[in-house]
C-alpha cells in the first residue's frame, strides 16, 4: 500500500472520543505493560465494559460447550428471533491478538450483527496465547464449526447457511479455518467470511509502523509483534499459511467482506489481502472507513461510522444467506 493513506484526514471525531476514553481508562492502571498476561486480561475486561453494554436484545442467548480435539470449549449463541425455524448463522471469533478479550468484550458486536442480519451469531471462546500456541486455537475453531454443522438441528441452525467471521486475530482464524475446510474437501460448509480489520501476516511496512502503528495509536506495530510472539511457538511458523494467510493459495475460499479501518496499522493488510483474494477468483467486497481506527466497531454506541460498518457487514450477510 502506498504511503498516501497515512496523509489523509485524521480520526473521525466520534472515534477520537472512543480512543480517548479507552486511553483514560487504561491510565488508571499504571505500569500495566509489566503485569502478567492474566492481569492484563482482567483489566482489559474492565476497560471494555462500557462498550459492550446496551444494544439490541435477543430472543434467546444460550451458553453451551462444543467438543473439540482439545476438550470442550465455551460458545455463546445469540438468536435474534423466536420460533422453531432453523436460522442461518455467523460463527464469530473475537479479536485481541490471540491473547486478550473474550465473548464478553465482543458481546455487543455479536448482538448487533445478529439483530441486523436476522441471523444467529455463535461466539467461540477459543483458548488464548501464550498459554497455548498455534495451531491450538485454530483446531478448536475447526472442530467447533464441524460440531455446529453436524449438530445444526440441536442448535436451531440451518447447516446450509453458515458463515464465519471475526475481527483482527479473529479474522485471521476465520480465514485459516476456511483454508483447512477447503483442504479437507469441506469448503461447502461455509458460505462466506466476514473479515474485520484482520491481521494476515506478521509483516508490517515501515510506513504503517511509523504511521498509524506508532506509539499513541490504539494498536501499535510493537503490540502486533508481541501478539505474534505469543501466538507462534517459533518464528519460522510465520511461514505457515494457516498462521499467515497472506502466504496461502486462496483459490476456492468462500466470498469475503472486508472491513478496513483507514487509521489502522493493519489497513494495508486488508487492502493487500482483498487484492490477493480477487486474484485467486474469490468474490470480495472491501470497504475502507475513513477516519476509523482499529477496534472501531466497539464504538457503535456513539459512532455513526461504526454503526454504518456493522450495517454494511450485516447487509452483506443477509444477501449471503438468501
Amino acid at each position: 500500500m502506498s504511503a498516501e493513506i497515512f496523509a489523509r484526514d485524521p480520526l473521525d471525531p466520534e472515534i477520537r472520543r472512543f480512543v480517548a476514553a479507552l486511553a483514560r481508562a487504561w491510565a488508571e492502571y499504571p505500569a500495566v505493560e509489566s503485569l502478567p498476561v492474566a492481569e492484563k486480561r482482567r483489566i482489559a475486561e474492565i476497560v471494555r465494559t462500557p462498550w459492550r453494554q446496551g444494544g439490541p436484545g435477543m430472543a434467546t442467548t444460550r451458553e453451551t460447550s462444543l467438543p473439540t480435539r482439545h476438550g470442550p470449549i465455551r460458545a455463546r449463541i445469540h438468536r435474534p428471533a423466536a420460533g422453531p425455524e432453523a436460522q442461518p448463522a455467523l460463527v464469530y471469533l473475537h479479536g485481541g491478538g490471540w491473547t486478550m478479550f473474550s465473548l464478553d468484550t465482543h458481546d455487543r458486536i455479536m448482538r448487533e450483527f445478529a439483530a441486523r442480519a436476522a441471523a444467529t451469531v455463535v461466539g467461540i471462546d477459543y483458548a488464548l496465547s501464550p498459554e497455548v500456541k498455534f495451531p491450538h486455537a485454530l483446531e478448536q475453531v475447526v472442530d467447533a464449526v464441524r460440531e455446529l454443522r453436524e449438530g445444526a438441528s440441536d442448535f436451531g441452525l440451518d447447516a446450509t447457511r453458515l458463515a464465519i467471521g471475526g475481527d483482527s486475530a479473529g479474522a485471521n482464524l476465520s480465514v485459516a479455518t476456511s483454508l483447512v475446510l477447503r483442504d479437507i474437501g469441506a469448503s461447502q460448509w461455509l458460505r462466506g467470511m466476514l473479515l474485520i480489520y484482520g491481521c494476515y501476516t506478521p509483516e508490517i511496512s515501515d510506513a504503517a509502523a511509523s504511521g498509524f502503528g506508532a506509539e499513541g495509536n490504539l494498536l501499535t506495530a510493537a503490540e502486533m509483534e508481541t501478539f505474534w510472539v505469543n501466538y507462534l511457538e517459533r518464528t519460522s511458523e510465520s511461514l505457515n499459511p494457516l498462521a499467515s494467510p497472506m502466504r496461502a493459495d486462496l483459490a476456492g475460499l468462500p466470498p469475503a467482506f472486508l472491513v478496513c479501518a483507514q487509521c489502522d496499522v493493519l489497513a494495508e493488510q486488508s487492502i493487500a489481502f482483498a487484492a490477493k483474494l480477487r486474484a485467486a477468483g474469490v468474490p470480495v467486497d472491501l470497504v475502507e472507513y475513513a477516519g476509523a481506527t482499529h477496534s472501531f466497531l466497539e464504538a457503535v454506541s456513539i459512532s455513526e461510522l461504526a454503526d454504518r460498518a456493522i450495517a454494511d457487514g450485516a447487509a452483506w450477510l443477509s444477501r449471503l444467506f438468501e
Side-chain angles (χ1 to χ4, degrees):
M1 180 177 58
S2 64
E4 71 234 18
I5 190 171
F6 300 106
R8 298 184 196 171
D9 293 338
L11 291 183
D12 172 89
E14 293 166 337
I15 299 301
R16 187 178 295 280
R17 284 177 54 203
F18 167 67
V19 173
L22 287 178
R24 287 194 299 272
W26 278 108
E28 296 182 16
Y29 302 92
V32 68
E33 291 305 315
S34 64
L35 297 175
V37 68
E39 181 64 7
K40 290 181 185 177
R41 289 179 188 143
R42 186 188 70 81
I43 295 170
E45 295 287 326
I46 296 170
V47 167
R48 244 55 181 202
T49 294
W51 305 101
R52 67 181 185 233
Q53 296 173 340
M58 296 288 100
T60 61
T61 294
R62 173 183 173 187
E63 300 281 343
T64 189
S65 63
L66 302 172
T68 78
R69 72 195 77 177
H70 298 295
I73 59 171
R74 189 166 66 109
R76 179 173 298 167
I77 304 176
H78 285 305
R79 190 174 175 89
E85 299 83 5
Q87 295 183 0
L90 170 68
V91 179
Y92 195 87
L93 310 173
H94 68 80
W98 308 281
T99 302
M100 311 285 284
F101 302 151
S102 66
L103 296 180
D104 291 333
T105 57
H106 285 62
D107 190 74
R108 177 160 182 174
I109 291 176
M110 292 191 290
R111 288 184 285 111
E112 292 283 355
F113 279 121
R116 299 179 194 220
T120 294
V121 172
V122 183
I124 304 298
D125 192 27
Y126 59 88
L128 299 178
S129 299
E131 291 89 339
V132 302
K133 298 284 190 174
F134 168 83
H136 187 112
L138 171 59
E139 291 171 346
Q140 287 181 315
V141 174
V142 170
D143 293 350
V145 171
R146 183 190 304 274
E147 180 66 17
L148 290 168
R149 178 179 169 83
E150 293 179 352
S153 59
D154 296 331
F155 301 109
L157 307 181
D158 180 348
T160 68
R161 293 189 292 167
L162 299 181
I164 195 166
D167 59 284
S168 198
N172 173 293
L173 288 169
S174 296
V175 177
T177 299
S178 300
L179 289 167
V180 170
L181 295 180
R182 179 201 64 186
D183 291 346
I184 64 173
S187 57
Q188 75 280 5
W189 286 12
L190 296 173
R191 281 208 181 184
M193 304 179 294
L194 177 62
L195 308 176
I196 303 166
Y197 31 79
C199 52
Y200 307 110
T201 174
E203 298 170 2
I204 293 174
S205 72
D206 291 342
S210 62
F212 294 120
E215 288 301 316
N217 286 282
L218 194 58
L219 176 66
T220 69
E223 286 173 320
M224 278 309 309
E225 183 177 359
T226 298
F227 289 147
W228 280 103
V229 168
N230 288 345
Y231 187 48
L232 302 179
E233 190 71 53
R234 58 192 67 86
T235 304
S236 61
E237 287 183 323
S238 66
L239 302 177
N240 188 324
L242 296 181
S244 303
M246 196 76 80
R247 293 182 172 274
D249 172 5
L250 303 178
L253 290 188
F257 183 93
L258 281 80
V259 171
C260 175
Q262 176 210 334
C263 306
D264 180 8
V265 65
L266 300 181
E268 62 181 6
Q269 297 196 17
S270 288
I271 294 169
F273 195 67
K276 185 165 184 175
L277 284 167
R278 289 193 187 99
V282 178
V284 175
D285 289 279
L286 168 72
V287 181
E288 181 186 335
Y289 295 88
T293 190
H294 201 77
S295 298
F296 81 102
L297 264 61
E298 294 177 55
V300 63
S301 61
I302 65 169
S303 167
E304 183 277 333
L305 193 61
D307 185 86
R308 173 155 50 90
I310 293 174
D312 290 345
W316 179 84
L317 284 170
S318 295
R319 294 191 298 271
L320 190 76
F321 291 143
E322 288 177 350

